[in-house]
Amino acid sequence: QSLATSLATTMRTSGVVYYRVTACDATSNCITSATGALTPRITQQSSSLVRYGGAWYLYKSASASGTTLKWSRTRNAYVTYTFTGRRIGFVTIKGPTRGSVRVYIDGKYKLTVSLYKTGTNLGRVLAWQSGVLTAGKHTITLQLVGTAGHPRVDIDAFVVMK
């Protein structure tokens, strides 16, 4: 039994993932408050559903989730993906030459995510995921900041929870 308000875990990107949430008080009185299923779907950066603006380049990499990724260093270059689901995240590489992206959901700015990490590159990183969205169609846009000294951003894949 663990007392926590969140859980970080790895899950497969196809099929259905079932979960159950149980809440307990300090005296071990517990109640199962939620059960459900998540259906994660991964969309590779090469999908025809993913649109790019600005200069982007294809790069083959064994560490990419689908063996290729796209990258750019161009300030204000962007990538958009329209999806149907309740949550969205993006998979990328973090490293010493990586910059930052502005994240927009349905045209509204959410935050800026830094992909900078000292040391060696780390691939297949879920760099950010949204909170719960209303059911239906949404669009995520990632726009490059053009970070001085380390402007590169890689797009590996998008993960949607239905």
Side-chain angles (χ1 to χ4, degrees):
Q1 181 172 323
S2 172
L3 299 176
T5 58
S6 65
L7 170 69
T9 187
T10 302
M11 72 175 69
R12 56 185 189 261
T13 56
S14 64
V16 178
V17 178
Y18 296 94
Y19 67 91
R20 177 177 54 216
V21 178
T22 301
C24 300
D25 64 18
T27 60
S28 296
N29 294 312
C30 298
I31 185 169
T32 299
S33 57
T35 59
L38 299 172
T39 307
R41 295 286 184 251
I42 191 163
T43 299
Q44 296 298 328
Q45 49 71 34
S46 57
S47 168
S48 62
L49 301 173
V50 180
R51 305 274 189 232
Y52 295 88
W56 288 87
Y57 306 95
L58 186 66
Y59 179 72
K60 290 187 178 192
S61 171
S63 65
S65 67
T67 69
T68 62
L69 51 83
K70 285 199 176 175
W71 67 273
S72 181
R73 286 183 248 177
T74 306
R75 186 175 195 267
N76 293 326
Y78 63 90
V79 55
T80 63
Y81 171 54
T82 300
F83 62 96
T84 301
R86 305 277 317 227
R87 293 182 79 118
I88 181 77
F90 72 96
V91 179
T92 187
I93 294 175
K94 286 190 169 190
T97 62
R98 294 340 190 244
S100 297
V101 293
R102 292 180 198 93
V103 178
Y104 298 84
I105 299 291
D106 299 330
K108 295 179 184 156
Y109 172 79
K110 294 297 179 186
L111 78 163
T112 298
V113 177
S114 173
L115 305 176
Y116 178 81
K117 175 187 116 24
T118 59
T120 59
N121 288 342
L122 182 60
R124 296 185 192 179
V125 174
L126 182 63
W128 177 83
Q129 63 180 334
S130 71
V132 177
L133 304 168
T134 58
K137 191 176 270 194
H138 299 280
T139 299
I140 183 171
T141 301
L142 305 175
Q143 182 183 44
L144 278 68
V145 171
T147 311
H150 49 98
R152 181 173 168 158
V153 170
D154 300 83
I155 301 299
D156 190 347
F158 293 93
V159 179
V160 174
M161 292 292 206
K162 294 192 175 199

